[in-house]
Amino acid sequence: MRMDRIIVAAFVVLVSTAIVGFSTGNTGASFTGTTTNPNQSWNTQNVTPPASFTSATSAIAGRIDLVWTATTSPAGSHTLTYLVLRGPVGGPYVQVGTTAGLTYSDTPGADGTYEYVIQTKIAQGAGFFTSGNSAVKSNKSDRTAPVMSATCNGGSCAGWFNGSVTFVVSGNDGAGVGMGTATTNVDAGGAITSAAPRTVTVSGESATHSVVYSGADAVGNASGNTSQTVKIDLTTPTTAGAFTVNLGQQNGEADLTWTAGTDALSGVAGYLIRRATATTCPAATAANYPTNLTVGAVTAYTWTGLTSGTSYCFYIQTKDNAGNLSAASALAGPIVPQ
């Protein structure tokens, strides 16, 4: 009778400490602690990782915010927590934190791309069970501000423009989290921020339009301010005067002379000379004078390569540094080169 009681007592102890379900070769959970079943062929709980694992938009530079759904707690009274593991792309992963909640914020020591997995942990007697890894989530730690740049009408902002300018601010965040916003302040009229890239219009004649611009990436890393001058000249220059044509010293040449035009804002860049083949000079229009060339800010030019015995007519327009053209000069010609 005494031996029967001993056998029954031992059986009760084994059942109360170990057996709830049976799992052979279970790789989804592990056990750490004291157990009467060292081989772990009998598992007391089946622990699963979070089924959904995402990341929230981090609000602080360098920080990575993680979010996941709750794991269904096994039957019984257990303390349930989550282990946060971090590693390089492809692993291996090491634990960087633990929490009883469903979110965790991690700030790695250096910028870069990191992968995270979550494990569920429940207390079990004197030890605990942990699940396998959740799905992998890749995130970036970013403390580096973007590099901002600007274009005017799709190109450089240097030089002069002869109309309203489309000013576009964009940024390059390199290997970071990506662009967030861009800010512009046109002629000290007040800073305005919107999603990058940002487009504003600069208009009105002035040599001193100023656009101060900056930007920030998606986690708030902000660039410094950059100031860009935009110069607009809407006024045509004055027409060259005393425009004349004479036979050149060589066959096929015509010597053209004039007095300089002027431009008060952007300055004279040069002259556009137009030529027609005609015995009677037609009206001064581009269509009537289809052949043209541009010369610098000079007051004389020799046109070579003309056909001997052919009659030519000319007129000239002053061109400023913004590309504005003056009205046509008086006509010169016709002239018939030798």
Side-chain angles (χ1 to χ4, degrees), residues 256-306:
L256 304 168
T257 60
W258 59 90
T259 58
T262 60
D263 187 86
L265 192 55
S266 63
V268 173
Y271 299 88
L272 178 67
I273 306 173
R274 294 188 177 274
R275 190 191 80 192
T277 302
T279 56
T280 299
C281 294
T285 66
N288 289 337
Y289 289 74
T291 304
N292 65 83
L293 56 81
T294 299
V295 298
V298 295
T299 56
Y301 180 76
T302 298
W303 197 314
T304 62
L306 302 175

Short mmCIF file of all heavy atoms in Angstrom, two decimals, residues 256-306:
data_model
loop_
_atom_site.label_atom_id
_atom_site.label_comp_id
_atom_site.label_asym_id
_atom_site.label_seq_id
_atom_site.Cartn_x
_atom_site.Cartn_y
_atom_site.Cartn_z
N LEU A 256 29.50 96.43 -91.45
CA LEU A 256 28.36 97.00 -90.73
C LEU A 256 28.87 97.80 -89.54
O LEU A 256 29.75 97.33 -88.80
CB LEU A 256 27.43 95.89 -90.25
CG LEU A 256 26.90 94.92 -91.33
CD1 LEU A 256 26.26 93.71 -90.68
CD2 LEU A 256 25.92 95.63 -92.22
N THR A 257 28.32 98.98 -89.33
CA THR A 257 28.68 99.80 -88.17
C THR A 257 27.42 100.39 -87.55
O THR A 257 26.39 100.55 -88.24
CB THR A 257 29.63 100.95 -88.56
OG1 THR A 257 28.98 101.79 -89.53
CG2 THR A 257 30.94 100.42 -89.14
N TRP A 258 27.48 100.73 -86.25
CA TRP A 258 26.33 101.30 -85.55
C TRP A 258 26.82 101.96 -84.26
O TRP A 258 27.96 101.76 -83.82
CB TRP A 258 25.29 100.23 -85.24
CG TRP A 258 25.81 99.07 -84.38
CD1 TRP A 258 25.79 98.97 -83.05
CD2 TRP A 258 26.44 97.87 -84.86
NE1 TRP A 258 26.36 97.79 -82.63
CE2 TRP A 258 26.76 97.09 -83.73
CE3 TRP A 258 26.76 97.37 -86.14
CZ2 TRP A 258 27.39 95.85 -83.83
CZ3 TRP A 258 27.38 96.14 -86.24
CH2 TRP A 258 27.70 95.39 -85.09
N THR A 259 25.95 102.72 -83.65
CA THR A 259 26.22 103.26 -82.32
C THR A 259 25.52 102.37 -81.30
O THR A 259 24.45 101.80 -81.56
CB THR A 259 25.73 104.70 -82.18
OG1 THR A 259 24.33 104.76 -82.44
CG2 THR A 259 26.48 105.62 -83.14
N ALA A 260 26.11 102.27 -80.11
CA ALA A 260 25.66 101.28 -79.12
C ALA A 260 24.26 101.56 -78.59
O ALA A 260 23.87 102.72 -78.38
CB ALA A 260 26.64 101.22 -77.96
N GLY A 261 23.52 100.48 -78.39
CA GLY A 261 22.28 100.57 -77.63
C GLY A 261 22.62 100.54 -76.14
O GLY A 261 23.77 100.31 -75.74
N THR A 262 21.62 100.76 -75.30
CA THR A 262 21.84 100.78 -73.85
C THR A 262 20.79 99.93 -73.14
O THR A 262 19.70 99.67 -73.67
CB THR A 262 21.78 102.20 -73.29
OG1 THR A 262 20.49 102.76 -73.55
CG2 THR A 262 22.86 103.07 -73.92
N ASP A 263 21.14 99.50 -71.91
CA ASP A 263 20.18 98.78 -71.07
C ASP A 263 20.47 99.12 -69.62
O ASP A 263 21.59 98.88 -69.14
CB ASP A 263 20.27 97.27 -71.28
CG ASP A 263 19.16 96.53 -70.55
OD1 ASP A 263 18.06 96.40 -71.12
OD2 ASP A 263 19.39 96.10 -69.39
N ALA A 264 19.50 99.65 -68.92
CA ALA A 264 19.74 100.21 -67.59
C ALA A 264 19.84 99.15 -66.50
O ALA A 264 20.43 99.41 -65.45
CB ALA A 264 18.63 101.19 -67.24
N LEU A 265 19.29 97.94 -66.72
CA LEU A 265 19.22 96.97 -65.63
C LEU A 265 20.21 95.83 -65.81
O LEU A 265 21.21 95.73 -65.09
CB LEU A 265 17.79 96.43 -65.49
CG LEU A 265 17.50 95.61 -64.23
CD1 LEU A 265 17.85 96.40 -62.98
CD2 LEU A 265 16.03 95.20 -64.20
N SER A 266 19.97 94.96 -66.76
CA SER A 266 20.86 93.80 -66.91
C SER A 266 22.07 94.09 -67.77
O SER A 266 23.05 93.33 -67.76
CB SER A 266 20.08 92.62 -67.50
OG SER A 266 19.61 92.90 -68.80
N GLY A 267 22.04 95.17 -68.56
CA GLY A 267 23.18 95.53 -69.39
C GLY A 267 23.10 94.91 -70.78
O GLY A 267 22.39 93.93 -71.02
N VAL A 268 23.83 95.51 -71.71
CA VAL A 268 23.84 95.03 -73.09
C VAL A 268 24.75 93.81 -73.20
O VAL A 268 25.92 93.85 -72.81
CB VAL A 268 24.31 96.13 -74.05
CG1 VAL A 268 24.49 95.58 -75.46
CG2 VAL A 268 23.31 97.29 -74.04
N ALA A 269 24.20 92.72 -73.76
CA ALA A 269 24.98 91.50 -73.99
C ALA A 269 25.58 91.49 -75.38
O ALA A 269 26.65 90.92 -75.60
CB ALA A 269 24.11 90.27 -73.78
N GLY A 270 24.88 92.07 -76.37
CA GLY A 270 25.36 92.07 -77.74
C GLY A 270 24.26 92.50 -78.68
O GLY A 270 23.30 93.17 -78.28
N TYR A 271 24.39 92.06 -79.95
CA TYR A 271 23.46 92.50 -80.98
C TYR A 271 23.08 91.33 -81.89
O TYR A 271 23.91 90.44 -82.16
CB TYR A 271 24.08 93.62 -81.82
CG TYR A 271 24.42 94.83 -80.99
CD1 TYR A 271 25.67 94.93 -80.36
CD2 TYR A 271 23.50 95.84 -80.80
CE1 TYR A 271 25.98 96.02 -79.58
CE2 TYR A 271 23.80 96.94 -80.01
CZ TYR A 271 25.04 97.01 -79.39
OH TYR A 271 25.34 98.10 -78.60
N LEU A 272 21.83 91.34 -82.32
CA LEU A 272 21.33 90.37 -83.27
C LEU A 272 21.24 91.06 -84.64
O LEU A 272 20.49 92.03 -84.78
CB LEU A 272 19.96 89.84 -82.84
CG LEU A 272 19.29 88.85 -83.79
CD1 LEU A 272 20.06 87.54 -83.85
CD2 LEU A 272 17.83 88.58 -83.35
N ILE A 273 22.02 90.58 -85.59
CA ILE A 273 22.01 91.16 -86.94
C ILE A 273 21.20 90.24 -87.85
O ILE A 273 21.44 89.03 -87.90
CB ILE A 273 23.44 91.30 -87.50
CG1 ILE A 273 24.32 92.09 -86.53
CG2 ILE A 273 23.41 91.98 -88.86
CD1 ILE A 273 25.79 92.12 -86.92
N ARG A 274 20.24 90.82 -88.57
CA ARG A 274 19.40 90.04 -89.48
C ARG A 274 19.67 90.46 -90.93
O ARG A 274 19.92 91.64 -91.21
CB ARG A 274 17.92 90.22 -89.15
CG ARG A 274 17.54 89.63 -87.79
CD ARG A 274 16.05 89.65 -87.57
NE ARG A 274 15.67 89.03 -86.31
CZ ARG A 274 15.46 87.72 -86.13
NH1 ARG A 274 15.60 86.89 -87.16
NH2 ARG A 274 15.11 87.26 -84.95
N ARG A 275 19.58 89.47 -91.83
CA ARG A 275 19.93 89.70 -93.24
C ARG A 275 18.87 89.12 -94.16
O ARG A 275 18.30 88.05 -93.90
CB ARG A 275 21.27 89.03 -93.55
CG ARG A 275 21.87 89.39 -94.89
CD ARG A 275 23.05 88.47 -95.19
NE ARG A 275 22.59 87.17 -95.69
CZ ARG A 275 23.37 86.10 -95.81
NH1 ARG A 275 24.63 86.15 -95.42
NH2 ARG A 275 22.89 84.97 -96.29
N ALA A 276 18.60 89.85 -95.24
CA ALA A 276 17.68 89.38 -96.28
C ALA A 276 18.37 89.48 -97.64
O ALA A 276 19.24 90.34 -97.85
CB ALA A 276 16.40 90.21 -96.28
N THR A 277 17.99 88.61 -98.54
CA THR A 277 18.44 88.70 -99.94
C THR A 277 17.33 89.37 -100.72
O THR A 277 16.27 88.79 -100.93
CB THR A 277 18.74 87.30 -100.50
OG1 THR A 277 19.73 86.67 -99.68
CG2 THR A 277 19.24 87.39 -101.93
N ALA A 278 17.56 90.64 -101.08
CA ALA A 278 16.49 91.40 -101.74
C ALA A 278 17.08 92.62 -102.45
O ALA A 278 18.04 93.22 -101.97
CB ALA A 278 15.45 91.85 -100.71
N THR A 279 16.49 92.98 -103.57
CA THR A 279 16.92 94.19 -104.29
C THR A 279 16.26 95.44 -103.74
O THR A 279 16.78 96.55 -103.90
CB THR A 279 16.59 94.06 -105.78
OG1 THR A 279 15.19 93.79 -105.93
CG2 THR A 279 17.40 92.92 -106.41
N THR A 280 15.09 95.25 -103.08
CA THR A 280 14.43 96.35 -102.36
C THR A 280 14.23 95.85 -100.93
O THR A 280 13.61 94.79 -100.72
CB THR A 280 13.08 96.70 -102.99
OG1 THR A 280 13.29 97.12 -104.35
CG2 THR A 280 12.40 97.81 -102.22
N CYS A 281 14.72 96.59 -99.96
CA CYS A 281 14.69 96.10 -98.58
C CYS A 281 13.24 96.00 -98.07
O CYS A 281 12.51 97.00 -98.07
CB CYS A 281 15.50 97.03 -97.67
SG CYS A 281 17.26 97.03 -98.05
N PRO A 282 12.83 94.81 -97.60
CA PRO A 282 11.47 94.64 -97.07
C PRO A 282 11.36 95.18 -95.65
O PRO A 282 12.36 95.60 -95.04
CB PRO A 282 11.28 93.13 -97.11
CG PRO A 282 12.66 92.58 -96.92
CD PRO A 282 13.59 93.55 -97.60
N ALA A 283 10.16 95.13 -95.11
CA ALA A 283 9.94 95.58 -93.74
C ALA A 283 10.80 94.75 -92.78
O ALA A 283 11.08 93.56 -93.00
CB ALA A 283 8.46 95.45 -93.38
N ALA A 284 11.17 95.36 -91.66
CA ALA A 284 12.08 94.72 -90.71
C ALA A 284 11.33 93.74 -89.82
O ALA A 284 10.90 94.08 -88.71
CB ALA A 284 12.78 95.79 -89.87
N THR A 285 11.16 92.52 -90.31
CA THR A 285 10.56 91.44 -89.52
C THR A 285 11.45 90.22 -89.61
O THR A 285 12.22 90.05 -90.57
CB THR A 285 9.16 91.08 -90.02
OG1 THR A 285 9.26 90.51 -91.33
CG2 THR A 285 8.24 92.30 -90.05
N ALA A 286 11.34 89.35 -88.63
CA ALA A 286 12.16 88.13 -88.64
C ALA A 286 11.85 87.27 -89.85
O ALA A 286 12.74 86.63 -90.42
CB ALA A 286 11.92 87.36 -87.35
N ALA A 287 10.59 87.25 -90.26
CA ALA A 287 10.22 86.43 -91.41
C ALA A 287 10.86 86.95 -92.70
O ALA A 287 11.26 86.16 -93.57
CB ALA A 287 8.70 86.40 -91.55
N ASN A 288 10.96 88.26 -92.82
CA ASN A 288 11.55 88.83 -94.03
C ASN A 288 13.08 88.76 -94.04
O ASN A 288 13.70 88.82 -95.11
CB ASN A 288 11.12 90.30 -94.17
CG ASN A 288 9.66 90.45 -94.53
OD1 ASN A 288 9.04 89.53 -95.08
ND2 ASN A 288 9.08 91.60 -94.20
N TYR A 289 13.66 88.61 -92.83
CA TYR A 289 15.11 88.57 -92.72
C TYR A 289 15.50 87.26 -92.00
O TYR A 289 15.86 87.25 -90.82
CB TYR A 289 15.62 89.78 -91.93
CG TYR A 289 15.50 91.08 -92.68
CD1 TYR A 289 14.26 91.69 -92.85
CD2 TYR A 289 16.63 91.71 -93.22
CE1 TYR A 289 14.14 92.88 -93.53
CE2 TYR A 289 16.51 92.91 -93.90
CZ TYR A 289 15.26 93.48 -94.07
OH TYR A 289 15.16 94.68 -94.76
N PRO A 290 15.39 86.13 -92.68
CA PRO A 290 15.53 84.82 -92.03
C PRO A 290 16.95 84.46 -91.59
O PRO A 290 17.14 83.61 -90.73
CB PRO A 290 15.02 83.85 -93.09
CG PRO A 290 15.29 84.54 -94.39
CD PRO A 290 15.08 86.00 -94.13
N THR A 291 17.96 85.09 -92.20
CA THR A 291 19.34 84.77 -91.83
C THR A 291 19.80 85.73 -90.75
O THR A 291 19.63 86.94 -90.88
CB THR A 291 20.27 84.87 -93.05
OG1 THR A 291 19.78 84.02 -94.10
CG2 THR A 291 21.69 84.47 -92.70
N ASN A 292 20.37 85.17 -89.66
CA ASN A 292 20.78 86.06 -88.57
C ASN A 292 21.99 85.50 -87.84
O ASN A 292 22.31 84.31 -87.92
CB ASN A 292 19.62 86.28 -87.59
CG ASN A 292 19.23 85.00 -86.88
OD1 ASN A 292 19.84 84.62 -85.88
ND2 ASN A 292 18.21 84.31 -87.41
N LEU A 293 22.65 86.36 -87.12
CA LEU A 293 23.74 85.95 -86.24
C LEU A 293 23.84 86.94 -85.10
O LEU A 293 23.35 88.07 -85.19
CB LEU A 293 25.07 85.85 -87.00
CG LEU A 293 25.60 87.06 -87.77
CD1 LEU A 293 26.31 88.04 -86.85
CD2 LEU A 293 26.57 86.61 -88.85
N THR A 294 24.43 86.48 -83.98
CA THR A 294 24.58 87.32 -82.80
C THR A 294 26.05 87.64 -82.58
O THR A 294 26.92 86.76 -82.66
CB THR A 294 24.02 86.60 -81.56
OG1 THR A 294 22.62 86.33 -81.75
CG2 THR A 294 24.18 87.46 -80.31
N VAL A 295 26.31 88.90 -82.31
CA VAL A 295 27.67 89.34 -82.01
C VAL A 295 27.69 89.94 -80.61
O VAL A 295 26.64 90.20 -80.02
CB VAL A 295 28.17 90.37 -83.04
CG1 VAL A 295 28.22 89.75 -84.43
CG2 VAL A 295 27.31 91.63 -83.03
N GLY A 296 28.87 90.14 -80.07
CA GLY A 296 28.99 90.69 -78.72
C GLY A 296 28.72 92.17 -78.66
O GLY A 296 28.19 92.78 -79.62
N ALA A 297 29.08 92.76 -77.51
CA ALA A 297 28.81 94.18 -77.28
C ALA A 297 29.85 95.04 -78.01
O ALA A 297 30.70 95.70 -77.40
CB ALA A 297 28.80 94.47 -75.79
N VAL A 298 29.77 95.02 -79.34
CA VAL A 298 30.68 95.79 -80.21
C VAL A 298 29.85 96.79 -81.02
O VAL A 298 28.62 96.79 -80.94
CB VAL A 298 31.47 94.84 -81.14
CG1 VAL A 298 32.38 93.92 -80.32
CG2 VAL A 298 30.51 94.01 -81.99
N THR A 299 30.51 97.60 -81.83
CA THR A 299 29.79 98.55 -82.68
C THR A 299 30.17 98.43 -84.15
O THR A 299 29.87 99.33 -84.94
CB THR A 299 30.03 100.00 -82.20
OG1 THR A 299 31.44 100.25 -82.18
CG2 THR A 299 29.44 100.22 -80.81
N ALA A 300 30.79 97.33 -84.50
CA ALA A 300 31.13 97.09 -85.90
C ALA A 300 31.28 95.60 -86.13
O ALA A 300 31.68 94.85 -85.23
CB ALA A 300 32.41 97.82 -86.28
N TYR A 301 30.93 95.17 -87.37
CA TYR A 301 31.07 93.76 -87.69
C TYR A 301 31.20 93.61 -89.20
O TYR A 301 30.50 94.31 -89.97
CB TYR A 301 29.85 92.97 -87.21
CG TYR A 301 29.94 91.50 -87.52
CD1 TYR A 301 30.75 90.66 -86.76
CD2 TYR A 301 29.22 90.94 -88.58
CE1 TYR A 301 30.85 89.31 -87.05
CE2 TYR A 301 29.32 89.59 -88.87
CZ TYR A 301 30.14 88.77 -88.11
OH TYR A 301 30.24 87.44 -88.39
N THR A 302 32.07 92.72 -89.65
CA THR A 302 32.23 92.43 -91.07
C THR A 302 31.60 91.08 -91.37
O THR A 302 32.02 90.04 -90.83
CB THR A 302 33.71 92.41 -91.47
OG1 THR A 302 34.28 93.71 -91.24
CG2 THR A 302 33.88 92.05 -92.94
N TRP A 303 30.55 91.10 -92.19
CA TRP A 303 29.86 89.86 -92.57
C TRP A 303 30.55 89.33 -93.82
O TRP A 303 30.59 89.99 -94.85
CB TRP A 303 28.39 90.14 -92.84
CG TRP A 303 27.52 88.90 -92.84
CD1 TRP A 303 27.78 87.72 -93.45
CD2 TRP A 303 26.27 88.73 -92.17
NE1 TRP A 303 26.78 86.82 -93.21
CE2 TRP A 303 25.84 87.42 -92.43
CE3 TRP A 303 25.47 89.57 -91.39
CZ2 TRP A 303 24.64 86.91 -91.94
CZ3 TRP A 303 24.28 89.08 -90.91
CH2 TRP A 303 23.87 87.75 -91.17
N THR A 304 31.09 88.13 -93.71
CA THR A 304 31.84 87.53 -94.81
C THR A 304 31.04 86.41 -95.45
O THR A 304 29.97 86.02 -94.96
CB THR A 304 33.18 86.97 -94.30
OG1 THR A 304 32.93 85.94 -93.34
CG2 THR A 304 34.02 88.07 -93.65
N GLY A 305 31.58 85.91 -96.56
CA GLY A 305 30.96 84.77 -97.23
C GLY A 305 29.74 85.11 -98.05
O GLY A 305 28.96 84.22 -98.41
N LEU A 306 29.52 86.39 -98.37
CA LEU A 306 28.39 86.78 -99.20
C LEU A 306 28.68 86.46 -100.67
O LEU A 306 29.84 86.35 -101.09
CB LEU A 306 28.12 88.27 -99.03
CG LEU A 306 27.81 88.73 -97.58
CD1 LEU A 306 27.69 90.24 -97.52
CD2 LEU A 306 26.57 88.04 -97.04
#
